[in-house]
Amino acid sequence: MTIAVLAVQGDFAEHEAMLAELGAQVFEIRERADLDRPFDGLVLPGGESTVQGKLLRELGLFEPIRGKILAGTPVFGTCAGLILLAKRLSNDDNVYFDVLPVTVRRNAYGRQLGSFYAEEEFKGIGKIPMTFIRAPYIESAADDVDILASVDGNIVAARKDNVLGISFHPEVDRDLSVHRYFLDMIRGRE
Amino acid sequence: MDNRYELNKNLAQMLKGGVIMDVTTPEQARIAQEAGACAVMALERIPADIRAAGGVSRMSDPAMIKGIQEAVSIPVMAKCRIGHFVEAQLLEAIEIDYIDESEVLSPADDKYHIDKTQFKVPFVCGAKDLGEALRRINEGASMIRTKGEPGTGDVVQAVRHMRMMQSEIRRLVSMREDELFDAAKLLQVPYDLVKYVHENGKLPVVNFAAGGVATPADAALMMQLGAEGVFVGSGIFKSGNPAKRAAAIVKAVTNYTDAKLIAQLSENLGEAMVGINEQEIELLMAERGK
């Protein structure tokens, strides 16, 4: 299985290491030509969504990636990646891929002093570590969105069909289960 | 390991592959964010002007920093003087996202750095070599940057520091395990940190380039030498067309091995900052705090 990781900015290296540990072939997307290679799934890493969104557009990556997601390519976004996937941001006028019908609040826990670690249930996996770094959360989701995890009453993981968006960073913890869930999702087992 | 320290190292991981820009006004902060900065450094005067003005240089006015926090949604960093733990307490009180304990300001203490383990907010510190980097990490820094000469537009020192750090890391990696004890002694750092570098081939925290970066090619050079991201200070707002140059540097950092793209990005950027050569400088800020 081959996974493409968006590598324009952020913690893409951490995602790559985890995916490789699970036996996936991994390559980076930094410019238009990288999209010519075939891949089975796409990861949108943590980082700054404003930076990633701008680079996606200016490097000519935005439309082709959106097209692939709409055509059914499985995609997994963490933190900034969730923001890129969302239909609407409640405290920001930007909209990016608009492929996950949820409303996301950016920096929902405030500045870095509000960053935190928790252990909570993830539907279908069990209790897992969750690291929130200047994180967003999902304020509301359409009825057909599957809510996978919540912390303190706020939605932090959701999926609709081929699109998985979570507001924390499994890639910075040792636990591989969310990445395994994504690979299973690609195989059609989840 | 302490939870807060892990969270603070994690924030630096999110900044990787990005450009952190010095700004002095909310307006500049917005330009930087628009241009693709992954964070901004709020300060009253950019290093080139600090250098020109001379005299004692201190932490910026909290009101000015707050104005910049209001203006942007990306993380905001600010500098305190080396060893000035009260300035750091004030920056923590206004909920800054990252504190730079910086040699660009006049040092407040010529022997002791801040005990950064006592703070909840993260710190980035400068280092010329592996020993300095590991000493700062031991004091609680959760991010390291080179100590290239700020405000000069001359990248030579950042290059020297990054090459030095990388070659010392490679040397540790190649050592026998029983040689690490002596290496720790010579580097004047704890054995555990030396062992981490030996096993992982990198620092335990994110390592950025800083000081003298003025062009997209400078930024890409630092990335190819092993930096995980770049600070750009005077290079942007001391140049002819800040917005265009900032955006070009951001793209050069993302695609730092694509010479064709960087050549395009480097076209018609207007005048780069004038710059001062290393030999013309009277004050070497990199010599502050070891």
Side-chain angles (χ1 to χ4, degrees):
Chain A
M1 189 183 300
T2 303
I3 308 295
V5 179
L6 182 69
V8 295
Q9 191 271 326
D11 70 338
F12 47 85
E14 286 75 3
H15 276 287
E16 290 164 20
M18 285 203 152
L19 293 162
E21 210 175 322
L22 289 168
Q25 300 291 315
V26 181
F27 73 93
E28 296 183 347
I29 293 178
R30 290 173 185 267
E31 47 193 336
R32 186 70 177 77
D34 298 327
L35 286 169
D36 296 339
R37 288 177 65 176
F39 53 90
D40 304 303
L42 170 68
V43 169
L44 307 177
E48 277 303 314
S49 60
T50 50
V51 181
Q52 295 179 359
K54 178 186 158 65
L55 286 168
L56 278 168
R57 290 212 168 88
E58 293 184 0
L59 295 167
L61 296 168
F62 186 83
E63 288 303 335
I65 288 180
R66 183 161 192 272
K68 280 181 189 288
I69 298 172
L70 290 175
T73 299
V75 58
F76 170 28
T78 62
C79 196
L82 166 67
I83 292 169
L84 296 182
L85 294 171
K87 182 183 180 61
R88 204 173 81 84
L89 304 176
S90 63
N91 54 348
D92 189 323
D93 294 333
N94 286 305
V95 177
Y96 302 96
F97 291 126
D98 184 10
V99 291
L100 187 62
V102 296
T103 298
V104 169
R105 170 166 289 272
R106 284 188 68 198
N107 300 335
Y109 301 95
R111 302 182 186 282
Q112 173 62 7
L113 282 173
S115 293
F116 67 103
Y117 173 87
E119 289 176 10
E120 282 294 342
E121 289 291 324
F122 192 102
K123 190 175 167 187
I125 298 179
K127 201 165 239 195
I128 57 163
M130 300 182 180
T131 295
F132 295 84
I133 303 297
R134 285 173 46 96
Y137 62 63
I138 297 172
E139 283 186 338
S140 61
D143 291 343
D144 53 355
V145 172
D146 196 8
I147 308 301
L148 299 174
S150 298
V151 172
D152 299 330
N154 299 310
I155 304 168
V156 297
R159 173 181 168 192
K160 183 171 185 284
D161 304 325
N162 60 320
V163 182
L164 173 64
I166 67 178
S167 71
F168 54 95
H169 294 281
E171 72 275 16
V172 303
D173 286 308
R174 300 275 173 271
D175 190 284
L176 294 168
S177 56
V178 182
H179 286 79
R180 194 177 291 120
Y181 176 96
F182 178 58
L183 297 185
D184 284 345
M185 184 174 137
I186 297 171
R187 294 188 191 102
R189 288 210 294 257
E190 273 291 350
Chain B
M1 185 56 80
D2 175 48
N3 214 331
R4 183 50 55 182
Y5 184 58
E6 288 303 315
L7 293 169
N8 287 340
K9 286 201 292 186
N10 293 152
L11 176 56
Q13 285 173 288
M14 301 311 145
L15 302 174
K16 284 195 295 182
V19 180
I20 300 166
M21 303 182 193
D22 280 0
V23 297
T24 57
T25 62
E27 172 63 16
Q28 286 185 355
R30 276 188 287 266
I31 293 173
Q33 178 170 271
E34 273 297 297
C38 67
V40 290
M41 177 76 70
L43 68 178
E44 270 164 349
R45 282 182 298 190
I46 54 173
D49 292 334
I50 291 175
R51 190 175 281 287
V56 174
S57 177
R58 309 178 180 88
M59 183 192 89
S60 298
D61 182 337
M64 171 266 165
I65 297 170
K66 282 182 181 164
I68 286 169
Q69 286 176 315
E70 293 296 312
V72 294
S73 63
I74 55 179
V76 177
M77 304 183 165
K79 292 179 192 291
C80 72
R81 286 180 266 177
I82 290 174
H84 205 315
F85 51 86
V86 174
E87 283 187 349
Q89 289 165 3
L90 305 190
L91 292 173
E92 182 171 68
I94 62 168
E95 298 200 10
I96 203 78
D97 290 302
Y98 240 99
I99 297 176
D100 184 2
E101 186 182 16
S102 178
E103 70 282 2
V104 173
L105 306 182
S106 306
D109 194 315
D110 54 8
K111 186 169 171 63
Y112 299 103
H113 279 73
I114 295 172
D115 176 2
K116 293 165 276 286
T117 63
Q118 300 303 310
F119 288 80
K120 290 197 177 73
V121 287
F123 281 81
V124 53
C125 287
K128 298 192 296 293
D129 52 42
L130 185 60
E132 271 189 43
L134 295 180
R135 283 194 290 281
R136 297 297 85 78
I137 292 165
N138 193 44
E139 292 157 3
S142 46
M143 180 177 183
I144 292 294
R145 55 169 178 76
T146 60
K147 247 170 149 180
E149 210 45 36
T152 61
D154 186 357
V155 82
V156 65
Q157 304 210 28
V159 167
R160 190 183 298 149
H161 303 165
M162 187 55 74
R163 276 194 182 272
M164 173 63 84
M165 240 184 271
Q166 299 294 345
S167 85
E168 288 176 302
I169 289 172
R170 287 192 296 273
R171 203 170 137 266
L172 280 191
V173 169
S174 70
M175 280 181 178
R176 280 167 52 103
E177 294 245 334
D178 60 2
E179 294 169 340
L180 298 178
F181 300 99
D182 186 60
K185 187 181 78 182
L186 294 175
L187 286 168
Q188 299 178 285
V189 299
Y191 169 76
D192 288 348
L193 289 175
V194 169
K195 190 148 189 290
Y196 180 94
V197 174
H198 171 72
E199 285 170 356
N200 295 278
K202 62 187 188 69
L203 296 180
V205 303
V206 168
N207 188 13
F208 268 49
V213 173
T215 66
D218 287 349
L221 173 68
M222 296 312 301
M223 293 297 287
Q224 289 197 27
L225 286 172
E228 296 179 281
V230 176
F231 284 84
V232 187
S234 319
I236 289 175
F237 289 99
K238 276 284 167 190
S239 73
N241 188 341
K244 192 172 177 192
R245 181 169 295 268
I249 291 175
V250 169
K251 287 199 208 84
V253 167
T254 295
N255 282 296
Y256 59 90
T257 57
D258 186 341
K260 217 172 184 172
L261 176 71
I262 299 170
Q264 277 171 23
L265 294 170
S266 304
E267 284 180 11
N268 303 314
L269 285 182
E271 207 168 332
M273 71 177 286
V274 177
I276 331 167
N277 288 306
E278 185 183 26
Q279 295 77 11
E280 302 164 351
I281 306 175
E282 286 177 15
L283 175 66
L284 270 180
M285 293 177 178
E287 292 308 312
R288 291 169 165 175
K290 293 174 184 171

